[in-house]
Amino acid sequence: MDAALLGSGALASASTFALAYALVSGDFGRGGEKDEGSLSTFAADVERRLRAIGPIAELERRGRDAARKGTCLRDLPSLLDVVTLGLSSGLSFDAALALYCERYDNELAASFAEAMLSWQVGAESRAEALGRLAGELGVDALASFASTVTQALEFGSPLASALEAQAQAIREEQRSQLEEEIEKVPVKMLIPLGTLIVPAMLISILGPLLGASLSLS
């Protein structure tokens, strides 16, 4: 469920929840203005707490999507290698893909097994299933894989060589991203160095000097 829908639905039911709480506790209708004020305060507190759910849920959803995208991108070269090896051995694309889904136990293999089942039973075409899977996972390289497979199977062009080149391109992209992250480490270290280590060193050096000067004066 989308975080915005969750937050709006929760806010809409806050007053109802507060009223139900008052009815169960037996306070509604017996305390006059004091109880009505308590009920209003309780409802306001519930609404305030529920308003904080939306941003937190959105951040958690984005974190899960990013982790899922990174995992799929990391496992994609292995998929391409297995499919390429299967095609080179004379297997069809479906048989080579099924080989990967059987041998590997990860989210990418489970997603491809589900997509393959959908086009084998006729629920959707191979191109539609692969395109939907690429959209759900949000991986650009997977969208390129789906396009390459669809065009190769439709026009009869060699698929193994295209997938091999794509796997190499993905590995080079991952290597460049890793090198970029490594280059950012010294910059990130400046924050704790400037806020924690340098002040502590200054205190340890200047502290005794200040103490000695104060004692002499």
Side-chain angles (χ1 to χ4, degrees):
M1 180 180 294
D2 188 76
L5 294 177
L6 176 63
S8 60
L11 288 172
S13 61
S15 299
T16 305
F17 175 72
L19 179 60
Y21 176 82
L23 290 174
V24 172
S25 61
D27 293 335
F28 183 74
R30 293 190 303 174
E33 296 180 356
K34 181 178 179 181
D35 290 337
E36 290 178 359
S38 300
L39 179 60
S40 176
T41 302
F42 177 76
D45 182 65
V46 171
E47 290 185 6
R48 178 179 58 80
R49 293 176 182 273
L50 290 177
R51 287 182 187 277
I53 294 178
I56 296 175
E58 179 68 16
L59 290 176
E60 291 179 350
R61 184 187 65 80
R62 291 182 180 179
R64 289 193 300 268
D65 291 345
R68 183 185 185 190
K69 182 178 179 179
T71 301
C72 292
L73 185 60
R74 184 191 64 212
D75 296 333
L76 187 56
S78 299
L79 165 69
L80 297 176
D81 290 341
V82 173
V83 174
T84 301
L85 182 61
L87 292 173
S88 302
S89 302
L91 298 178
S92 64
F93 172 76
D94 288 3
L97 183 59
L99 181 64
Y100 173 81
C101 295
E102 292 173 359
R103 298 290 181 179
Y104 287 81
D105 183 16
N106 51 40
E107 185 176 0
L108 187 62
S111 300
F112 267 101
E114 181 180 354
M116 186 168 56
L117 180 62
S118 66
W119 77 64
Q120 286 178 346
V121 300
E124 53 187 345
S125 65
R126 182 186 289 104
E128 292 173 347
L130 292 176
R132 175 182 56 81
L133 179 60
E136 291 178 353
L137 297 179
V139 179
D140 295 337
L142 189 57
S144 177
F145 167 79
S147 177
T148 301
V149 170
T150 301
Q151 293 178 3
L153 295 180
E154 182 177 355
F155 298 106
S157 57
L159 181 58
S161 58
L163 295 182
E164 184 177 0
Q166 188 177 11
Q168 183 64 26
I170 293 175
R171 286 192 172 93
E172 291 178 357
E173 181 180 358
Q174 291 176 344
R175 187 181 300 108
S176 63
Q177 291 178 354
L178 181 59
E179 292 175 352
E180 184 178 348
E181 290 296 326
I182 293 175
E183 292 176 355
K184 291 180 180 179
V185 172
V187 179
K188 295 179 180 179
M189 287 297 296
L190 292 177
I191 298 177
L193 181 64
T195 57
L196 300 175
I197 300 177
V198 172
M201 291 178 62
L202 292 176
I203 292 174
S204 63
I205 295 173
L206 298 179
L209 297 177
L210 292 176
S213 63
L214 291 175
S215 63
L216 292 175
S217 62

